[in-house]
Amino acid sequence: EMDIATYRVRIGTFNPRALNLKTKVTKPKRNSEKNFSFYNYLRSILYIILLCLITTNVMYCASNHSRKNQIYNVSHYTSKPNLFQQRNLNKYVPERLIKSVDPNFEAHYKFGNRNRGIKMIHWNAGSAHLENKFVEVESTIRDMRPHIFGISEANFKKNHDINRVQLEDYDLITCKTLNNPNLNISRLVVYKHRSLVAKVRYDLMSDEFSSIWLEVGFPGKKKFLVANIYREWQYMGQNDGGFSLTIPEQLRRWKIFLTQWEMALASGAECHVMGDMNIDHLDINRLDTLETSSQTYKLITLVEELISRIYPHGVKQCVVGATHSWPGATASLIDVLYTNTTRKITSVQTHH
């Protein structure tokens, strides 16, 4: 037997060594007050030096605009102002700083943010060779900045120099008719911007009709079909005695294109068809009242094929109002945009 005091001594309750084994909370070692102040001082010096360098660059750019920075001050290239343009800072901020914020700044400044949508334009420049209207083409593309730019009556022949009609950042696409030994001409061409991923759908094209089908879209985005067409009245430069101008021959060529269109719609793809059809769509809704001398009445078989074969697929013509006028002649709507997905069209405009 032992008393309570002896028991407590034996189990260590009052043993100093046992008390020393208790866990202690140790604080992390810190730099001395002297070292801590030194690091703060060094950091402040570095900040001041960096601020001086930035200030020097800003002052230099404000007082001495170099030639290579002038591209950022061309206001008419700008489609959608970014942070620098909104605050008018692009002429003061060094080029390397701008590009570090947006590596594609120069492209965005010239062409805007193309990921917001795809701009498609079709243009009829009149009867002249593509090379002879190339200045107008460059001007239109510079002002409009389209992704897809189709040109009717381009009249690019096989013996023409294709290098003379190339545009920076665009690919030039011609019709299959260029390789038709009986024609050797592309009455229609398309310029496609290289920001788009595109596949030329030769399986939907013919060497007897002027159409160019593309499967296009932005990288990593869903692709859709777009066709540029030019329904010519007759073949150009053919000594056929006017045979290609006859209505039966026009109807034969027109059916070739309608078959292409039906194949595209049957695939279930989003599909847009634009171009110069040379069929007055202002008359389509009043066929029963047309005079027999009117041009549309003479093309009634072509109109009936269009309505019976294409309209049942749910397509809609989106251009409103006349697109062609000539002194002494009635205005007509012959330049059209058909689509099976109207919800994807944000706006349609006509420029004369």
Side-chain angles (χ1 to χ4, degrees):
E1 293 184 2
M2 64 180 70
D3 57 11
I4 189 67
T6 304
Y7 174 75
R8 287 178 175 176
V9 169
R10 287 189 176 184
I11 65 174
T13 305
F14 300 107
N15 191 338
R17 284 189 175 184
L19 292 175
N20 289 337
L21 293 177
K22 291 183 178 180
T23 304
K24 293 183 179 181
V25 177
T26 58
K27 295 182 179 181
K29 294 183 179 181
R30 301 180 62 180
N31 294 327
S32 64
E33 190 67 21
K34 180 178 180 180
N35 289 338
F36 183 72
S37 299
F38 172 75
Y39 286 128
N40 278 344
Y41 176 76
L42 182 59
R43 187 184 307 166
S44 300
I45 292 296
L46 291 175
Y47 282 156
I48 292 173
I49 293 174
L50 181 60
L51 182 60
C52 290
L53 290 174
I54 294 176
T55 305
T56 302
N57 280 333
V58 171
M59 292 178 62
Y60 174 77
C61 289
S63 61
N64 184 20
H65 296 292
S66 64
R67 184 175 182 84
K68 66 179 179 180
N69 284 335
Q70 287 182 359
I71 189 172
Y72 303 125
N73 297 321
V74 183
S75 60
H76 68 274
Y77 279 126
T78 308
S79 59
K80 299 184 185 300
N82 59 22
L83 175 63
F84 293 103
Q85 298 160 5
Q86 288 172 347
R87 300 183 182 179
N88 199 26
L89 294 176
N90 52 300
K91 61 183 179 180
Y92 300 118
V93 181
E95 178 184 354
R96 62 178 179 274
L97 179 58
I98 291 176
K99 289 189 174 182
S100 67
V101 175
D102 183 1
N104 298 318
F105 179 82
E106 183 172 344
H108 287 167
Y109 195 94
K110 281 185 178 181
F111 300 105
N113 187 349
R114 293 179 172 273
N115 289 322
R116 294 180 182 273
I118 294 177
K119 180 185 284 188
M120 302 182 294
I121 295 178
H122 192 93
W123 182 50
N124 189 315
S127 56
H129 293 152
L130 181 60
E131 183 178 344
N132 296 335
K133 62 185 85 172
F134 193 62
V135 174
E136 295 178 75
V137 171
E138 288 181 306
S139 176
T140 304
I141 286 183
R142 182 177 64 247
D143 293 341
M144 297 294 189
R145 299 179 298 279
H147 296 86
I148 298 173
F149 186 56
I151 305 175
S152 292
E153 297 193 63
N155 303 331
F156 180 77
K157 294 186 176 182
K158 197 166 187 178
N159 59 358
H160 290 171
D161 185 0
I162 197 170
N163 294 319
R164 297 176 67 89
V165 290
Q166 296 288 354
L167 283 170
E168 184 180 2
D169 298 324
Y170 283 86
D171 294 323
L172 176 62
I173 305 165
T174 58
C175 295
K176 267 189 173 183
T177 54
L178 186 65
N179 297 318
N180 184 329
N182 296 321
L183 300 176
N184 295 315
I185 189 172
S186 181
R187 301 293 307 276
L188 167 77
V189 300
V190 170
Y191 286 96
K192 191 274 303 176
H193 195 271
R194 288 172 186 161
S195 61
L196 294 181
V197 176
K199 175 184 177 182
V200 182
R201 291 294 301 271
Y202 290 110
D203 58 313
L204 296 175
M205 295 162 59
S206 168
D207 63 358
E208 295 184 272
F209 188 89
S210 297
S211 66
I212 296 175
W213 284 89
L214 300 175
E215 186 175 333
V216 299
F218 285 119
K221 303 294 183 179
K222 187 177 180 179
K223 307 302 184 289
F224 62 91
L225 293 173
V226 55
N228 278 264
I229 77 161
Y230 174 52
R231 195 197 71 80
E232 53 197 333
W233 293 101
Q234 65 183 110
Y235 285 140
M236 186 176 183
Q238 301 298 304
N239 297 320
D240 57 5
F243 175 71
S244 62
L245 181 60
T246 61
I247 298 301
E249 183 61 14
Q250 290 190 53
L251 178 60
R252 184 190 68 82
R253 297 195 302 269
W254 183 234
K255 287 181 177 180
I256 292 175
F257 172 70
L258 294 181
T259 300
Q260 300 171 5
W261 198 349
E262 285 178 323
M263 291 172 60
L265 292 169
S267 69
E270 177 184 339
C271 183
H272 308 278
V273 173
M274 60 192 303
D276 185 353
M277 282 191 177
N278 275 320
I279 295 176
D280 189 357
H281 281 63
L282 296 178
D283 289 338
I284 285 185
N285 294 326
R286 49 190 180 94
L287 294 176
D288 295 336
T289 61
L290 289 178
E291 297 182 2
T292 57
S293 60
S294 69
Q295 192 68 258
T296 306
Y297 186 85
K298 295 177 182 178
L299 300 174
I300 190 68
T301 53
L302 281 73
V303 175
E304 289 174 346
E305 285 287 326
L306 172 66
I307 293 175
S308 63
R309 296 177 61 175
I310 302 301
Y311 280 36
H313 290 274
V315 301
K316 181 181 179 181
Q317 203 286 116
C318 301
V319 179
V320 178
T323 62
H324 181 268
S325 60
W326 197 260
T330 305
S332 58
L333 199 174
I334 59 176
D335 305 285
V336 299
L337 167 63
Y338 277 96
T339 180
N340 62 349
T341 50
T342 53
R343 67 183 185 278
K344 296 291 187 71
I345 305 296
T346 56
S347 66
V348 179
Q349 300 176 357
T350 303
H351 298 269
H352 296 282

